[in-house]
Amino acid sequence: MSEQPTRPADRAAEAVRGWRLRRGVRLAQDAVRGMPTLLHPEGVVLLNETAAAVLALCDGRRDAAGIAAELRSTYRGVVAEEVDALLADLARLGLVGAGPDQADHGGGG
């Protein structure tokens, strides 16, 4: 039984673990507390500004290193491993995932 060769574009797509918010999860601003939040069907997660900036870049096209690189243009001291750890923690909670077709693109605010 022979296997079909993998095309370079397929390998590139597999190599990039683009993060995005899960369906039903969205970023918002808590008007009372003046803090960014992550709203999900089971509740609300209060975020600091840095975590909100990370999640705002979760569009399914960037891995943790790509998000960290983008954030370095605005923030000092951004470490890709810390971005990856935040995303891994949120993934364990079911709030973010890797790849396309997981986001709820409803308006936030």
Side-chain angles (χ1 to χ4, degrees):
M1 185 156 106
S2 67
E3 292 185 28
Q4 298 236 345
T6 304
R7 296 178 303 181
D10 292 339
R11 283 193 303 272
E14 291 170 3
V16 174
R17 186 174 186 196
W19 289 96
R20 79 171 50 246
L21 300 178
R22 292 278 185 183
R23 193 172 307 280
V25 177
R26 67 183 176 96
L27 284 171
Q29 186 74 19
D30 184 304
V32 174
R33 294 179 185 98
M35 294 180 69
T37 60
L38 193 60
L39 303 177
H40 58 100
E42 292 80 27
V44 177
V45 176
L46 297 176
L47 304 170
N48 63 31
E49 294 294 330
T50 308
V54 168
L55 292 170
L57 295 173
C58 290
D59 58 6
R61 295 178 294 168
R62 296 178 183 98
D63 61 4
I67 291 170
E70 181 74 23
L71 290 173
R72 282 189 200 103
S73 67
T74 305
Y75 299 96
R76 291 185 314 180
V78 175
V79 178
E81 291 80 11
E82 292 176 3
V83 171
D84 192 50
L86 169 67
L87 294 170
D89 287 346
L90 292 173
R92 278 190 288 279
L93 295 173
L95 301 175
V96 298
D101 300 324
Q102 296 177 19
D104 178 13
H105 294 289

